[in-house]
Amino acid sequence: MVTFKVSRVDTTPFEGQKPGTSGLRKKVKVFIQPHYLQNFVQATFNALGADRVKGATLVVSGDGRYYSKDAIQIITKMAAANGVRRVWIGQNGLLSTPAVSAVVRERVGADGSKATGAFILTASHNPGGPHEDFGIKYNMENGGPAPEGITNKIYENTTAIKEYLIAEGLPDVDISTTGVSSFEGPEGKFDVDVFDSTSDYLKLMKSIFDFPSIQKLLSSPKFSFCYDALHGVAGVHAKRIFVEELGADESSLVNCVPKEDFGGGHPDPNLTYAKELVARMGLSKTHSEPNPPEFGAAADGDGDRNMVLGKRFFVTPSDSVAIIAANAVQAIPYFSGGLKGVARSMPTSAALDVVAKHLNLKFFEVPTGWKFFGNLMDAGMCSICGEESFGTGSDHIREKDGIWAVLAWLSILAYRNKDNLGEGNLVTVEDIVRQHWTTYGRHYYTRYDYENVSADGAKELMAHLVKLQSSIDEVNKIIKGIRSDVSNVVHADEFEYKDPVDGSVSKHQGIRYLFEDGSRLVFRLSGTGSEGATIRLYIEQYEKDSSKIGRDSQEALAPLVEVALKLSKMQEYTGRSAPTVIT
């Protein structure tokens, strides 16, 4: 058996190793600096404390982006040196973020061990490759992201770190083949277990959904299906779940071979970046597909986000979570006993609020960041939740889950079509959405992203918006000067959240302008970019009148968009005449 020693390596702090809402994200060139990754990993071990590290079982995997394989070997050697007992690695280092959460929560090792936490190597929907982004985040024993108490401690440690521990003499582990490798160190045995990436996740999905009913839908000649993994890690799971288990044709899968640079694309499942799927679904402005599939979906790089499309029809993420919640009890066996509650992030449209009120469900509005949902779920207060940024999930794990959302939609379609796969017209994605709007009203909704703007300009814009809030009368005077047909603002604030579970308070979570007619403008600085600043502007208008729910979204929102851009002085502060992305 190979033995190793523990080396203490002297180091000095790097500036800016502060984890955002989803860990630390920087350009690859930053991460490959000597000691950079090691400093952050040691700072994490130190923040967790010896009781959580010594003898622990850690998962180390990610979305397969460039530098992941090197990082896995470094973290494995540091885990060994810090007294970790076992490291579990998905085959080829590939595990979607939701699959990592499932493995932490569900997997039992051959020796009866359970995971106590995970390092996930991902920058989610950000591009990959030698000149693009890399990221790392730590998830806790519940399978969810580390809470702010831990991430703040990690950051403090990075500012004062003087040394890190690494195993000397521990060889690189072959992560392409499943099996257990055992080593001996100063504190005893250390194992590395490389395991199948999909088995545990698939087992969980089969316990949630009625696979035979979905299989029946997918086998119907009336129904066609397309799934685009954008060359991210979801492709590993897609073939096994959709083709081998559910019987979809292999031609239904697009870009399902994971690549370190995501095929040179931007693995963000929206109408701007998922060009091939958008064209195939008949939604491209330049390419007209004569016969699009009935259902299409896309994933992001690490498989936790999703986009859902019908034939020539886009489902907003805000509508998607509301529709899943409205149909879950009837269509998904896991929820047959009822929902404990529902939650959305503050910038997400209020479509879910209306469903919660209608169904008399507990409802929560939380800051952006999945850890806030995790607290509610751990306390048994929330079953289904979602973010407008293409993230949807439930209490089966503690991360958003792109494939779960796709299976939820397929379950709803299967349920709605259970009696007409032979004769009668298919109930389509568009039918389901329009029926939902008729029942609950429509929340016209869009998001404008201004990516990589000057950080100073972004801060000045936000400060300007906060200052305006001191006089609602003045705000309304400005608005009427821009558009007289826009309703009055009745409330404006910076969103603050007090967690009902642990009492923690999260401040400065976004700037809100709430209008008399239920419309909203929200401005937020995103924490998911790797450089510069990203301003997200959310624009929402509620329409109860069923005769007015069929308008084009951008046309319906045009007055509010004009107000938002002029009120915020967007072009003046950012120098941008148009957003980078509109979703």
Side-chain angles (χ1 to χ4, degrees), residues 394-410:
S394 93
D395 60 354
H396 67 291
I397 56 170
R398 295 297 178 268
E399 290 279 4
K400 45 188 172 264
D401 190 344
I403 285 179
W404 173 91
V406 174
L407 290 170
W409 265 94
L410 290 172

Side-chain angles (χ1 to χ4, degrees), residues 16-287:
Q17 288 195 318
K18 186 174 178 62
T21 51
S22 297
L24 181 67
R25 294 181 187 173
K26 301 285 181 184
K27 292 294 179 190
V28 166
K29 66 185 179 189
V30 175
F31 266 101
I32 63 174
Q33 295 174 91
H35 312 307
Y36 189 90
L37 174 65
Q38 290 89 334
N39 277 19
F40 186 81
V41 172
Q42 190 63 55
T44 303
F45 283 137
N46 295 347
L48 292 168
D51 58 324
R52 274 201 177 108
V53 176
K54 302 282 185 189
T57 299
L58 294 183
V59 183
V60 183
S61 290
D63 60 18
R65 66 180 54 237
Y66 185 86
Y67 190 57
S68 293
K69 288 175 180 171
D70 293 333
I72 286 169
Q73 301 295 347
I74 290 167
I75 296 166
T76 298
K77 289 168 185 174
M78 291 186 67
N82 278 274
V84 169
R85 174 65 182 81
R86 294 171 206 84
V87 166
W88 290 351
I89 301 170
Q91 190 171 13
N92 296 310
L94 296 172
L95 275 178
S96 69
T97 293
V100 171
S101 188
V103 164
V104 171
R105 294 174 65 81
E106 305 287 336
R107 186 172 194 259
V108 180
D111 57 1
S113 53
K114 290 270 293 172
T116 48
F119 281 102
I120 308 180
L121 307 176
T122 177
S124 188
H125 54 292
N126 295 7
H131 306 292
E132 296 296 347
D133 296 350
F134 187 74
I136 179 170
K137 68 173 185 169
Y138 189 82
N139 277 32
M140 306 298 285
E141 57 271 11
N142 71 341
E148 285 181 336
I150 296 286
T151 56
N152 289 340
K153 206 178 278 187
I154 293 170
Y155 175 59
E156 283 170 27
N157 291 345
T158 67
T159 65
I161 191 165
K162 291 179 178 172
E163 66 173 17
Y164 60 84
L165 308 183
I166 195 158
E168 189 183 319
L170 186 71
D172 283 0
V173 175
D174 177 7
I175 60 174
S176 67
T177 309
T178 60
V180 179
S181 304
S182 295
F183 307 95
E184 193 75 37
E187 296 189 39
K189 204 173 170 193
F190 173 69
D191 292 338
V192 180
D193 182 356
V194 179
F195 64 98
D196 180 87
S197 295
T198 302
S199 296
D200 301 285
Y201 180 71
L202 172 61
K203 185 180 173 187
L204 181 60
M205 291 302 105
K206 290 178 89 167
S207 74
I208 294 169
F209 299 103
D210 180 351
F211 268 44
S213 76
I214 299 173
Q215 194 171 19
K216 193 176 173 189
L217 174 75
L218 290 178
S219 66
S220 167
K222 288 183 178 181
F223 190 79
S224 43
F225 168 78
C226 181
Y227 185 78
D228 188 345
L230 298 177
H231 288 302
V233 71
V236 173
H237 308 310
K239 185 177 179 185
R240 186 91 160 269
I241 293 171
F242 296 126
V243 176
E244 293 175 21
E245 290 288 333
L246 292 170
D249 196 277
E250 199 153 348
S251 63
S252 305
L253 304 185
V254 181
N255 302 319
C256 279
V257 176
K259 294 186 177 177
E260 289 190 336
D261 66 349
F262 305 108
H266 192 144
D268 196 352
N270 58 45
L271 295 171
T272 302
Y273 293 128
K275 291 184 177 72
E276 193 172 339
L277 178 71
V278 167
R280 193 179 277 210
M281 296 304 296
L283 284 164
S284 171
K285 287 171 182 157
T286 55
H287 170 74

